[in-house]
Amino acid sequence: MEKNKKVDVIVVGAGFTGIFATHKFTTLGYSVQTLEAGDGIGGTWYWNRYPGARTDSESYVYQYFFSEELLNEWNWKEKFPAQEETEKYLNFVAEKFDLKKFIRFGSKVTKAEFMEEQKHWKIRTEDGFEVQSQFLVMGSGLLSKPQLPDINGIDKFTGKILHTSHWPKTGLKLSNKDVGIIGTGATGIQVIQSIASEVKHLTVFQRTPNYTIPMNNPRFTEQKMAELRGQYPEIKKTRQNTFAGFLYDFESSYHELSQQERLACMERYWKEGSLSFWIGQFPEIFFEEEANSEISQFVKDKIRSRVNDPTIAEKLIPKDYGFGTRRVPLETSYYEVYNRPNVSLIDVRTNEIKKIAGQEVILEDQKIKLDVLILATGFDAGTGALTAIDLHGRDGRLLRDEWKKNGVSTFLGMQVHGYPNMFLVNAPMSPGAAFCNVPTCVDQQVTWIENCIKHVISEGKNAIEPSKKSEQEWGKHHDEVAESTLVHKTDSWYTGTNVKGKARRVIPYCGGVGEYKNKCDEVTANNFVDCQIY
Ligand code: NA7
């Protein structure tokens, strides 16, 4: 096996980030080696092939804008495309720009080491492949390290058990099966509404109910695509400057409208059927308890109106946190599922899962026999994929240990002091770690990284890393913004509380995509004075 390969840039991951970075750096004439754990293109859209997997971003914003030709050639079928379509799109991009030849598949990175003398990174994969590079771009994913529940006996479950991100490519037969699912986040909700009518019986184990928004998902005609294409230049410009990288931005202040006007506004956004109800209406939703409570009440009433049994409806209504302080998923028929005779909902807060024995889930007051147990239990978000790697920077430091001991620390969510020439994308303390339409932030961050690398080279230097001071200042600003919101008061993967032992801290930058871009652009305009270049 090749041991001494050396390139200019190593890219980890072949999802939205990895594909764009591979294209960008190869086009600029750098030699690139991309390493991908999966056997195909797609990242999130390669792994998450569970029933009902679909984007909550509109297809016309959830795409690349770097090539006119690509924009002209690709036709979206739906407003919110399913996993298959998104995976196909990413393969289309990789094939169109002949990128697969730069990607080594089945290459899970286990170790990354900065060689101080040479000022190079040495990367090793699980199967023993080694490659070195001057620059390292981590597109390893925000939500790629599965989080498994710690339930007594779960490892000995004798039926079929699987996490949603490891759904078999060949599919899984669920008809006539007794199926259980743990988790009612964005993933759980998509699975539940997709399989309820197929299975013999579905038992939903819910710990925290979610707020949702009904998805309005029209199919696109040729005429609609032509219309959208005409808007692409405007879409490209707009999405970079909104709060969350979509087309919509907060429309008006909650306080500017009367209660009646607010109600009419909420009804209008509710019909719109997209995340605009959350991140396109009133900014106060994130900051003010009173505004948040009014919007939450509106959504609670909508849930009540769709569930026949009031006791079940109450179980499905969030009680201890406000709308939008956790990730709000879109749904199509989620609540109607609970009107079906073959679906039961167990609140595991009041009826705890004691253990799993054989094929049975043993609760406080009953035993449920299952053929299949689906774990829609989420991910170690933001940090998980990075700390899973033995990632050694200067002076023998290990990222996993440093972040465990001192908490997560990054500069702009893209660089880490002590880890020269390493760049992170959609990582903690950037909007891409939750509050961004992913391709918008991929475009902005990879372009910033490109300029940073070009600067190092043009200065005739070898390495760049942020100073400790600039990293601390970014951390302070990040925390101030986060703590002014209601997000930091709520338990969720946004605050890291879904992972035992993870320090509580808001993972995404909450200042908005447009504001974040301005801050990054300032660093570039000031010739990266916040960094040490040597
Ligand atoms: P999430 O949003 O983290 O949801 C995970 C769900 O699993 C959530 O309902 C959890 O309850 C539940 N969970 C986790 N562990 C347990 C145990 N031990 N017992 C019961 N329930 C449990 O992950 P998703 O995959 O749905 O979504 C991730 C993101 O992917 C999503 O936000 C989109 O951006 C795409 P909890 O809320 O912690 O009480």
Side-chain angles (χ1 to χ4, degrees), residues 231-424:
Q231 295 164 7
Y232 278 171
E234 195 52 39
I235 294 176
K236 180 182 177 180
K237 215 162 46 180
T238 306
R239 74 171 190 170
Q240 197 60 74
N241 295 303
T242 58
F243 175 74
F246 290 86
L247 279 194
Y248 29 80
D249 213 341
F250 297 118
E251 186 186 293
S252 59
S253 164
Y254 169 89
H255 300 288
E256 278 167 12
L257 307 181
S258 68
Q259 199 184 7
Q260 219 174 4
E261 286 168 333
R262 291 198 294 266
L263 188 61
C265 187
M266 286 192 272
E267 287 291 1
R268 184 159 52 82
Y269 275 101
W270 197 252
K271 280 207 188 77
E272 173 70 30
S274 74
L275 296 179
S276 60
F277 182 87
W278 176 27
I279 43 184
Q281 215 175 169
F282 311 120
E284 291 84 356
I285 199 169
F286 283 111
F287 304 103
E288 294 179 25
E289 300 272 6
E290 191 195 323
N292 185 290
S293 161
E294 187 174 313
I295 298 159
S296 301
Q297 196 51 51
F298 175 92
V299 181
K300 288 176 187 186
D301 289 342
K302 292 289 185 193
I303 299 174
R304 278 189 192 103
S305 73
R306 288 172 62 185
V307 182
N308 296 344
D309 180 337
T311 318
I312 296 177
E314 285 315 303
K315 276 194 198 171
L316 289 165
I317 291 173
K319 299 286 187 309
D320 52 6
Y321 69 98
F323 180 87
T325 60
R326 294 158 54 106
R327 166 71 151 81
V328 185
L330 302 182
E331 58 75 41
T332 44
S333 55
Y334 180 61
Y335 298 101
E336 287 71 20
V337 159
Y338 296 97
N339 298 332
R340 299 178 61 89
N342 71 330
V343 176
S344 19
L345 176 66
I346 309 273
D347 174 357
V348 298
R349 274 187 210 261
T350 53
N351 193 3
E352 206 189 322
I353 300 179
K354 289 286 180 203
K355 63 174 181 179
I356 290 177
Q359 266 183 264
E360 284 183 337
V361 175
I362 306 191
L363 296 153
E364 201 88 46
D365 67 353
Q366 62 176 308
K367 292 177 182 173
I368 299 169
K369 188 161 179 270
L370 298 172
D371 300 309
V372 181
L373 178 56
I374 300 169
L375 306 175
T377 46
F379 301 88
D380 180 355
T383 52
L386 298 166
T387 54
I389 298 170
D390 293 334
L391 222 165
H392 293 274
R394 275 191 295 106
D395 308 320
R397 44 178 33 100
L398 179 63
L399 192 75
R400 175 167 56 240
D401 287 354
E402 285 204 286
W403 281 5
K404 185 154 195 197
K405 190 161 153 238
N406 310 318
V408 174
S409 189
T410 69
F411 178 56
L412 300 172
M414 280 193 282
Q415 293 176 298
V416 184
H417 175 72
Y419 298 79
N421 292 352
M422 178 181 82
F423 298 95
L424 314 176

Side-chain angles (χ1 to χ4, degrees), residues 199-212:
V199 302
K200 186 164 143 209
H201 193 92
L202 178 64
T203 307
V204 178
F205 300 96
Q206 172 190 272
R207 190 163 64 186
T208 312
N210 244 315
Y211 293 98
T212 57

